């Protein structure tokens, strides 16, 4: 339904012309390219242009490194294999666009099923788990799940890793969380799930094992889990550092059309003949932080401007719902929350709240995760991103 709607409205409504990344399409058009663009072109707007560009040409510009590599690699693999027979009718970009539709459509269905399975474990309520999955399916933000964004892939990996963790498969969940980190930067927050659940299980084992043994097990599992989940982020930052701080490429190796765009927009390309960018000399040369600061102006309260009022209104429903959920859960059992949910999971005596459903003890860590993301989105990010970031 979302794919159909975007095709109709993309044809009927004129596009807004933003000052956004819009790379030249230099490939020679083929006979079916225009048809693919008419039907699926609405899925290639805004940040989608980055993912499609990276999948086609790699990390050419400095600010491309804000977008993590697992989705572009997946798109390129599907375009080069599944849609390879269409090479005589479609150029590579059109096949990438078809790959977007295939991958995200399949993942969207799997996400709903995985979220339902996760909901049954966490909520202990089949009906509520079903409604949660249903709401996931009909949220207005689902256009981002269909477009060439990394949301569908990230959600699939995050839901799957959480489900594995709830099933007690901590090691496997570490590797799935690592894949999520290779998809989006906020995958690094997943470390909190591993640390929390491992610590909670260690507390429950204190009745049977010595404190020294439990402490050793926790430190070891925490160190290994954290290293595995953060490894993709670290490797990607190192790749960016080598690309721009230790470049081996001359501009002549980049096409003229892409060089012209870099000169027009001020985009940096790897160039061994120029001085290294300033961020290379930082104590911690993180390209991702630099890009968010310089290219997107992401920072504490930087988005609080009068002209952004429409975007704050756009994000208001999600902000209100997230805040209300955290407030209701905490006020229902404040003592449990003050103890960080590390007690045995029983509700306070005399409480009329059930031990299953939204007030289930297992919900606590997920609510903390959502609240942290909400607070970060409200105060530090472009707030409209909350609509699909949450």
């Amino acid at each position: 339904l979302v794919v159909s709607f975007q095709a109709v409205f993309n044809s009927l409504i004129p596009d807004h012309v933003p000052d956004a990344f819009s790379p030249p399409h230099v490939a020679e058009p083929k006979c079916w390219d225009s048809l693919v663009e008419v039907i699926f072109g609405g899925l290639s707007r805004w940040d989608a242009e980055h993912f499609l560009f990276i999948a086609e040409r790699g990390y050419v510009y400095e600010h491309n490194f804000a977008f993590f590599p697992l989705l572009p690699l997946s798109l390129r693999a599907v375009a080069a294999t599944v849609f390879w027979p269409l090479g005589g009718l479609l150029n590579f970009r059109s096949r990438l666009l078809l790959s977007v539709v295939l991958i995200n459509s399949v993942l969207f269905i799997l996400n709903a099923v995985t979220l339902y399975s996760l909901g049954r474990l966490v909520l202990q309520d089949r009906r509520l788990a079903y409604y949660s999955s249903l709401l996931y399916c009909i949220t207005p933000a689902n256009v981002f799940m269909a477009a060439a964004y990394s949301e569908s892939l990230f959600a699939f990996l995050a839901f799957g890793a959480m489900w594995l963790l709830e099933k007690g498969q901590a090691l496997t969940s570490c590797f799935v969380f690592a894949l999520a980190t290779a998809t989006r930067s906020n995958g690094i927050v997943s470390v909190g799930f591993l640390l929390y659940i491992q610590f909670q299980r260690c507390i429950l084992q204190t009745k049977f094992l010595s404190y020294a043994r439990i402490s050793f097990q926790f430190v070891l599992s925490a160190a290994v889990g954290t290293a595995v989940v953060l490894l993709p982020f670290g490797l990607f930052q190192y790749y960016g550092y080598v690309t721009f701080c230790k470049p081996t490429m001359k501009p002549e190796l980049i096409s003229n059309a892409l060089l012209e765009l870099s000169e027009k927009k001020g985009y940096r390309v790897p160039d061994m003949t120029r001085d290294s960018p300033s961020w290379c000399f930082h104590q911690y040369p993180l390209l991702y932080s630099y890009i968010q600061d310089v290219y997107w102006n992401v920072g504490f309260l930087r988005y609080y401007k009068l002209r952004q009022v429409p975007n704050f209104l756009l994000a208001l429903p999600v902000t209100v719902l997230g805040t209300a959920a955290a407030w209701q859960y905490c006020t229902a059992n404040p003592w449990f929350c003050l103890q960080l949910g590390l007690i045995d999971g029983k509700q306070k005596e005399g409480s009329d709240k059930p031990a299953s459903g939204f007030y289930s003890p297992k919900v606590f860590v997920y609510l903390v995760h959502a609240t942290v993301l909400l607070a970060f989105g409200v105060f530090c990010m472009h707030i409209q991103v909350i609509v699909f970031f949450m």
Side-chain angles (χ1 to χ4, degrees), residues 213-232:
R213 182 177 177 181
I214 291 173
S215 299
F216 174 77
Q217 288 179 349
F218 173 73
V219 171
L220 180 62
S221 61
V224 172
T226 301
V228 170
V229 174
L230 298 186
L231 182 62

Side-chain angles (χ1 to χ4, degrees), residues 21 23-27 53 56-61 249-264 267-270:
F21 183 61
H25 302 161
V26 295
F53 177 81
E56 185 177 6
R57 298 181 177 275
Y59 287 90
V60 176
Y61 300 123
M249 181 185 295
K250 294 182 178 180
E252 292 80 7
L253 300 177
I254 303 174
S255 70
N256 290 332
L258 298 182
L259 284 177
E260 289 175 4
L261 180 64
S262 70
E263 293 174 1
K264 179 181 178 181
Y267 300 153
R268 181 182 289 273
V269 297

Side-chain angles (χ1 to χ4, degrees), residues 142-348:
N142 278 343
V143 65
F144 298 102
M145 299 293 177
Y149 277 52
S150 57
E151 267 63 29
S152 278
L153 179 57
F154 179 78
F156 173 68
L157 294 169
F159 292 161
M162 293 170 186
W163 179 79
L164 289 168
L165 197 56
E166 290 291 344
K167 296 283 286 185
Q169 302 179 38
L171 182 60
T172 308
S173 71
C174 279
F175 290 103
V176 181
F177 274 132
L179 291 175
T181 304
T183 306
R184 285 185 62 88
S185 61
N186 53 308
I188 61 177
V189 185
S190 305
V191 170
F193 286 101
L194 292 168
L195 298 180
Y196 179 83
I197 291 183
Q198 290 294 96
F199 186 58
Q200 190 179 52
R201 288 172 180 168
C202 286
I203 289 178
L204 294 176
Q205 291 176 344
T206 54
K207 300 176 182 178
F208 310 103
L209 302 175
S210 67
Y211 285 103
R213 182 177 177 181
I214 291 173
S215 299
F216 174 77
Q217 288 179 349
F218 173 73
V219 171
L220 180 62
S221 61
V224 172
T226 301
V228 170
V229 174
L230 298 186
L231 182 62
F233 182 86
L235 291 176
F236 188 54
Q237 297 310 298
Y238 179 73
Y239 173 55
Y241 177 82
V242 171
T243 300
F244 287 97
C245 301
K246 308 287 184 181
T248 57
M249 181 185 295
K250 294 182 178 180
E252 292 80 7
L253 300 177
I254 303 174
S255 70
N256 290 332
L258 298 182
L259 284 177
E260 289 175 4
L261 180 64
S262 70
E263 293 174 1
K264 179 181 178 181
K265 294 288 189 178
Y267 300 153
R268 181 182 289 273
V269 297
D271 186 354
M272 62 183 298
T273 65
R274 295 177 57 187
D275 292 335
S276 299
S278 61
W279 62 267
C280 293
F281 304 100
H282 293 172
Q283 183 177 4
Y284 302 103
L286 292 178
L287 177 52
Y288 183 79
S289 300
Y290 173 81
I291 292 170
Q292 294 295 330
D293 178 27
V294 174
Y295 286 92
W296 272 272
N297 193 34
V298 171
F300 183 66
L301 299 183
R302 289 189 187 181
Y303 211 58
Y304 280 66
K305 300 177 181 178
L306 188 60
R307 62 178 178 170
Q308 300 299 346
V309 168
N311 286 322
F312 276 86
L313 293 176
L314 179 66
L316 186 61
V318 173
T319 305
V320 170
L321 287 172
T323 305
W327 175 259
Q328 289 183 18
Y329 190 92
C330 292
T331 55
N333 201 337
W335 183 240
F336 176 77
C337 295
L338 287 174
Q339 295 188 63
L340 302 180
L342 295 175
I343 57 177
D344 60 4
K346 295 180 181 179
Q347 296 291 310
K348 187 174 66 173

Side-chain angles (χ1 to χ4, degrees), residues 87-105:
L89 302 172
L90 299 170
N91 64 28
F92 195 65
R93 176 185 164 83
S94 295
R95 284 184 279 152
L96 286 172
L97 204 48
L98 291 180
S99 302
V100 168
V101 178
L102 176 62
I103 290 175
N104 282 352
S105 296

